[in-house]
């Protein structure tokens, strides 16, 4: 493990190289089981981009006892580690989320992962726990983006195109303009975050990020009622994890309740931080979600009817 102080609070993380046709990518399933038809559809999209795709051995397996897991914890961890440490693999994509990363993340040899160098890593939702691990334990930047067997990736051209541009032409999506201000202002920091409930669940674990200090925090969630969102945010506030955060970007809150009630909870818990907050920023579980790089410095600007996030460097070298 690398000390948290080596990459936090303000340091940018190591970037991977951009992809080109012919690049070899691996697909893994660190969380839930993967529907085969959806996986095939997602693989066809990647191959249509000229990528050579390999599928990890346990992507289509299911845990013998717990049907919400894609194979055993050790198998899922080994698939990720083998894919990452294979020198012929340029990128690792997650097949889907669900639940399961927290069960396998400590079984990965993070020293070996860091030694293998930066590579492209893509996923979101439950994969938040891996984004945090790549940042804190390996010092590597990652992409909060769609998953290969995800319905939005398969069915939404805008989601596909934003990920493709991030992978192949990252300078063309270096600025993200979307949403509007919940709290106006301007802030600079390193982008981090993911699924709110996963960030709250990570608190107190041995290798958790000590705080969001110095960061621009992206949060979103799905299927969490307003009081559960309140509980997660309150936990982050009470623990001091949000102290020193420089800005907040709010993504999608699908199936979290009436939008007005959800917005009221978010405002109640976040406006008091006294930092710029952008809402409806278009990442997460919503249709047409954009890919957001984590671990890189950016500037957040929020005004009454618009917001923007501009990175100092492209997501990939």
């Amino acid at each position: 493990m690398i000390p948290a102080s080596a990459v936090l609070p303000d340091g940018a993380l190591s970037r991977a190289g951009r992809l080109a046709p012919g690049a070899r990518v691996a697909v893994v399933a660190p969380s839930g089981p993967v529907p085969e038809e959806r996986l095939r559809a997602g693989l066809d999209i990647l191959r249509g981009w000229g990528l050579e795709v390999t599928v990890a051995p346990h992507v289509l397996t299911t845990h013998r006892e717990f049907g919400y897991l894609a194979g055993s914890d050790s198998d899922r961890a080994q698939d990720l580690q083998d894919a990452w440490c294979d020198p012929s693999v340029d990128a690792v994509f997650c097949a889907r989320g669900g639940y399961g990363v927290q069960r396998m993340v400590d079984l990965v040899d993070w020293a070996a992962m860091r030694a293998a160098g930066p590579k492209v890593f893509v996923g979101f939702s439950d994969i938040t726990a891996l984004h945090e691990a790549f940042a804190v334990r390996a010092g590597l930047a990652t992409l909060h983006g769609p998953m290969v067997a995800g319905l939005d990736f398969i069915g939404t051209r805008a989601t596909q195109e934003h990920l493709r541009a991030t992978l192949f032409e990252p300078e063309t999506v270096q600025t993200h303009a979307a949403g509007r201000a919940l709290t106006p202002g301007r802030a600079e920091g390193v982008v981090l975050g993911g699924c709110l409930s996963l960030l709250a669940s990570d608190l107190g674990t041995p290798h958790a990020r000590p705080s969001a200090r110095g960061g621009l925090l992206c949060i979103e969630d799905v299927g969490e009622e307003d009081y559960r969102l309140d509980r997660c945010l309150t936990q982050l506030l009470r623990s001091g994890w949000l102290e020193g955060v420089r800005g907040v970007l709010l993504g999608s809150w699908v199936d979290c309740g009436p939008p007005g009630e959800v917005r009221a909870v978010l405002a109640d818990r976040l406006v008091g931080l006294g930092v710029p907050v952008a809402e409806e920023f278009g990442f997460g579980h919503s249709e047409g979600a954009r890919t957001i790089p984590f671990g890189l410095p950016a500037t957040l600007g929020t005004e009454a009817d618009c917001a923007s996030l501009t990175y100092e460097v492209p997501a990939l070298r």
Side-chain angles (χ1 to χ4, degrees), residues 1 4 99 101-103 105-106 128-130 132-133 136-137 197-211 235 239 241:
M1 174 187 172
Y99 166 75
V101 167
Q102 289 180 309
R103 292 178 54 120
V105 65
D106 296 323
T128 295
L130 282 175
E132 287 290 279
V136 176
R137 302 198 206 185
S197 55
L198 268 294
L199 293 171
S201 297
D202 219 28
L203 290 178
T205 57
H207 306 292
R209 186 188 300 262
S211 78
Q235 185 176 3
S239 69
W241 197 83

Side-chain angles (χ1 to χ4, degrees), residues 141-177:
T142 53
L143 299 178
H144 182 278
M147 292 175 281
V148 176
L151 291 173
D152 189 38
F153 180 63
I154 295 168
T156 309
R157 186 63 177 269
T159 297
Q160 298 169 17
E161 286 304 307
H162 199 271
L163 175 60
R164 188 203 61 78
T166 304
L167 296 172
F168 292 89
E169 302 168 333
E171 63 281 343
T172 66
V173 285
Q174 202 165 323
T175 295
H176 302 252

Side-chain angles (χ1 to χ4, degrees), residues 189-276:
V190 172
V191 182
L192 66 136
C195 189
L196 173 61
S197 55
L198 268 294
L199 293 171
S201 297
D202 219 28
L203 290 178
T205 57
H207 306 292
R209 186 188 300 262
S211 78
R213 181 176 296 277
L216 300 177
L217 175 64
C218 299
I219 51 175
E220 60 89 35
D221 220 313
V222 62
E224 298 286 351
E225 296 180 55
D226 53 0
Y227 78 91
R228 293 181 179 179
L229 298 177
D230 189 321
R231 181 172 61 199
C232 290
L233 289 168
T234 299
Q235 185 176 3
L236 295 181
L237 288 165
R238 293 184 66 212
S239 69
W241 197 83
L242 290 175
E243 292 179 6
V245 70
R246 294 180 180 172
V248 180
L249 297 94
L250 305 174
S252 61
W253 307 96
V254 173
D255 296 331
C256 291
E261 295 179 12
V262 171
R263 186 175 190 269
V265 169
L266 297 171
D268 179 82
R269 298 285 75 193
L270 296 172
V271 169
L273 293 171
V275 301

